[in-house]
Structure formats: C-alpha cells, structure tokens
Amino acid sequence: MTTSRPHPHAHSFHTARAHSFNNAAAQYAANRPSYPPTLFDTIEALSPHPLHGSRTVDVGAGTGISTTLLHTRGAHVLAVEPGAGMAAQFRRTHPHLPLVRGDGNALPIATASTDFLTYAQSWHWTDPSRSVPEALRVLRPGGVLALWWNTDAVDIPWIADATTRIHRFLGVDHDTPIEKSGSGAPAALADTAGHLDFTRRPIRWSRTVSLDTHLANIASHSGFLVLGEDATAEFLTEERAHLRRLFPTETIEETYDVDLLVAIRP
C-alpha cells in the first residue's frame, strides 16, 4: 500500500517545484497534453482583435507547447521562459521561434508593446502583486491577458479515483491540486487586488494515449518531480496495475477541462 507524503514548508516546496521542470524538460515535452483549437477560437471571440498578425508574448513558455500553437494561428510570438532546462529544450525543438529568459514578475518586454500576453499552465508560478502590474505595463490599450490551465475532468469516475490516489500519495488534501492551479485559477486568485476584469470559460477536450504516456505525464508534474524517480516508482507501479485492470488494451482517453481566464487592458 502506498503511503502519504508529508507536505514540506510551503515556500521552499513551491520554489523547488517551480525549478523541478528543468531536469525533466524532455519528459515534459514528450508527454504533456497540448491544447484544443477551440481554446484559441474562444480567446479570439473574447478579444477585440485576432491572434493572426498580433504581437504575442507567451510567458512561462516551457518547452513550447502553447508557443507553437500561437505561431500556427499566425501570431508573431515571443516566448519568455525562466528555466534553463526548459529553455534549452525549447531551443532544440523550436529553433525558428524567438525566446528570451525571464518571468512574469519582471518581464523583459517594452511598455505598451504587446497585443496578447499569454500564460499556459504558468500564471500560478508568478506573484500576482507583481505580475498583474507587469501585464498592465506591457499590454497596449485593448491588449489581452489570457491565462489557461488543462485540468482533469474529475466528473469522470476513473479520473476522480486516480486524482484521489495521487493526492493521497503526495500527502495533500483531496481538493488541493497537484500543481498550484491544477484545478484552475478563479479570477479572485489570479488578480488578488482586483485590477483586471476576467471572463472565465471552460473548454472540454480529450486525447487518446498509451498507458506509458499517461503515466509519464503524471510523473512530469512538479509534485512528483521533487520526490524523484525512486520515491515515485512504487506509486507508478501500483497505478499501472490499477489502470491495466480498467483499460486492458493499455489505451486511455484522458479528458481535460481547459480553465480559461481572459481580461482586456482598459
């Protein structure tokens, strides 16, 4: 039986998790889910201008999952990434896309220069007391701040059960996400000072993957990365056995709800 893990000191644990991706950049790139076209359709429907031809800055770009999709939509996109390992993976995979090192708390971007400022799975690593003013600084009037997260569709029974097992192993409360905003970020948390008027939209989608990919995706989350391979091996072995009973073909449909927040700069 897998046992719970005690939760370390919040600040140091948060910092360790933020840096944990750098040593697992290739694993992250290979196994993390992408985003559906409907997400970008919805962003444009909530925005005063299209992505095509826009100056877009994708912050916390990681290995480039969202950056490449924005580029495909016709945006002139610049990636901003704080982590050395993630930035190196980005440059290996997407050498044609521009990338600079930096983070949302102190953006290396000129004032009033940006049409879209996007954060895919990354706003929760910022300090809103700093990242909100930075967003307002770099966005042009009418510019758009878009934040989104892939979240597990826990209304599906097998996903809810798997989430409970993961939380039990990590030693966190059932309602606490694997990553800080794994269940999305309500507008009140995304902007604690209330400077922005967010519109929120859920977008459901799914992907079909092998059992190996599913488990590798789980292991690429920060809560597991900080524990290391040895500490998570027992959990992944038990989870593999459990899911094989549910999915004997070892093919799994992962269902997600993208939690999207969009705000327009006055």
Side-chain angles (χ1 to χ4, degrees):
M1 176 67 70
T2 304
T3 57
S4 298
R5 301 282 170 174
H7 206 289
H9 184 269
H11 177 73
S12 60
F13 190 52
H14 179 72
T15 301
R17 287 164 60 189
H19 289 287
S20 65
F21 300 112
N22 289 303
N23 294 326
Q27 176 185 354
Y28 188 107
N31 300 293
R32 280 296 182 102
S34 184
Y35 306 101
T38 308
L39 167 64
F40 302 98
D41 295 339
T42 305
I43 291 171
E44 290 190 307
L46 296 172
S47 303
H49 43 76
L51 283 163
H52 185 85
S54 68
R55 177 171 171 79
T56 297
V57 177
D58 188 34
V59 187
T63 61
I65 295 173
S66 62
T67 309
T68 55
L69 294 173
L70 290 162
H71 174 74
T72 300
R73 297 287 294 215
H76 302 296
V77 60
L78 170 68
V80 177
E81 168 56 36
M86 296 294 256
Q89 180 67 35
F90 183 106
R91 291 189 175 107
R92 282 192 295 270
T93 311
H94 311 292
H96 61 293
L97 294 178
L99 177 143
V100 296
R101 296 289 300 281
D103 65 65
N105 294 329
L107 289 167
I109 307 297
T111 298
S113 64
T114 304
D115 299 308
F116 285 90
L117 185 64
T118 62
Y119 286 79
Q121 309 282 139
S122 59
W123 181 260
H124 56 282
W125 300 118
T126 73
D127 174 2
S129 69
R130 300 170 64 191
S131 55
V132 169
E134 276 293 270
L136 292 171
R137 179 183 67 80
V138 304
L139 284 170
R140 294 169 175 159
V144 177
L145 174 64
L147 323 174
W148 66 86
W149 293 263
N150 266 326
T151 71
D152 293 326
V154 293
D155 59 315
I156 296 175
W158 81 263
I159 294 177
D161 291 344
T163 300
T164 297
R165 291 192 297 273
I166 290 169
H167 286 185
R168 185 181 300 123
F169 173 75
L170 294 177
V172 298
D173 293 336
H174 177 73
D175 293 330
T176 302
I178 299 173
E179 291 180 349
K180 185 176 177 182
S181 291
S183 60
L189 297 179
D191 175 21
T192 52
H195 294 302
L196 297 169
D197 184 13
F198 282 107
T199 299
R200 190 176 190 180
R201 292 286 187 274
I203 301 162
R204 176 154 290 194
W205 73 288
S206 63
R207 68 170 187 166
T208 300
V209 298
S210 68
L211 176 58
D212 285 344
T213 296
H214 176 76
L215 293 173
N217 175 30
I218 291 173
S220 75
H221 284 78
S222 62
F224 288 93
L225 292 175
V226 296
L227 294 177
E229 293 183 8
D230 292 342
T232 61
E234 179 186 354
F235 173 83
L236 294 176
T237 297
E238 292 186 9
E239 190 68 6
R240 179 184 294 276
H242 183 89
L243 292 175
R244 272 179 173 162
R245 291 192 291 271
L246 293 177
F247 304 101
T249 65
E250 298 193 11
T251 299
I252 295 177
E253 183 179 13
E254 298 176 342
T255 303
Y256 296 97
D257 290 316
V258 178
D259 195 3
L260 170 66
L261 296 174
V262 173
I264 299 172
R265 187 193 189 284

